Amino acid sequence: MILPKFVARLITEMENKMMVEKEGLKSCHEAGVEEGKQDYLIDKQKKQKTNDDRKKKQKTNNINNQRKRQDLEKFMELGLEPPPNMPQVFKDCIKDLGGTEIKLIIQKFLQLTDLRSQQNRLSMSLKQIKSTFLHEDEERMLNAKR
């Protein structure tokens, strides 16, 4: 009499344990599916951001190319393309200030930021620079600071 009750109890416990394990597996599977959905959505957002970034960059490049064409057209209208020789008065002034190796570095239209005394600088895009003007050690020092 005790043995059948004991066996029935063991069977019930084993069945309960198996159900719990199945539910655990089921919940793990569901968690995996949810995790997979999240990974999919994250990847989709990343791809969308990459596409948006690519479109922005392309738009910026188009605008920059348009500006370059406009500047070139203005230079040509003003007779500044190809660049004219520097007047001797400017060369003498540069020499008086201690300048050597006089050459054209950049040709650009001055902007307000170039003329403001608070800015105290002349902005030069690396893409606009026509010839190098730094010595090797100066260039190494500049690259090290970057």
Side-chain angles (χ1 to χ4, degrees), residues 2-134:
I2 295 175
L3 190 58
K5 285 182 181 179
F6 178 72
V7 171
R9 188 171 154 200
L10 279 176
I11 290 173
T12 306
E13 284 178 7
M14 287 181 76
E15 286 174 349
N16 288 341
K17 188 176 182 183
M18 287 175 69
M19 285 182 68
V20 168
E21 285 177 0
K22 279 186 183 178
E23 285 177 18
L25 288 174
K26 185 178 175 184
S27 65
C28 286
H29 173 71
E30 288 171 353
V33 168
E34 278 300 313
E35 199 172 288
K37 283 181 187 176
Q38 286 177 340
D39 289 345
Y40 171 77
L41 292 174
I42 289 169
D43 286 344
K44 193 172 180 179
Q45 287 173 342
K46 284 181 183 177
K47 286 178 184 175
Q48 183 65 37
K49 185 177 183 219
T50 302
N51 286 338
D52 291 346
D53 289 347
R54 192 176 297 127
K55 287 177 185 176
K56 278 183 186 177
K57 189 173 184 178
Q58 190 174 23
K59 186 176 179 181
T60 302
N61 285 341
N62 289 341
I63 290 169
N64 287 341
N65 289 338
Q66 187 178 7
R67 284 184 188 153
K68 284 179 187 176
R69 279 193 300 275
Q70 289 172 344
D71 281 355
L72 184 60
E73 289 171 6
K74 287 179 187 175
F75 283 140
M76 291 176 94
E77 284 175 20
L78 296 170
L80 300 174
E81 192 59 42
N85 289 332
M86 185 183 295
Q88 189 61 42
V89 176
F90 287 164
K91 289 181 182 179
D92 293 341
C93 184
I94 292 170
K95 286 180 182 174
D96 289 344
L97 293 170
T100 59
E101 299 178 41
I102 300 170
K103 57 185 165 182
L104 178 67
I105 304 297
I106 187 170
Q107 181 177 356
K108 65 176 266 176
F109 290 102
L110 294 177
Q111 304 296 321
L112 285 176
T113 55
D114 297 325
L115 302 173
R116 287 192 184 129
S117 59
Q118 302 92 341
Q119 297 286 336
N120 200 23
R121 65 171 180 238
L122 176 68
S123 65
M124 297 190 307
S125 167
L126 290 174
K127 293 178 182 178
Q128 290 179 312
I129 295 175
K130 296 187 181 216
S131 61
T132 59
F133 59 95
L134 297 175

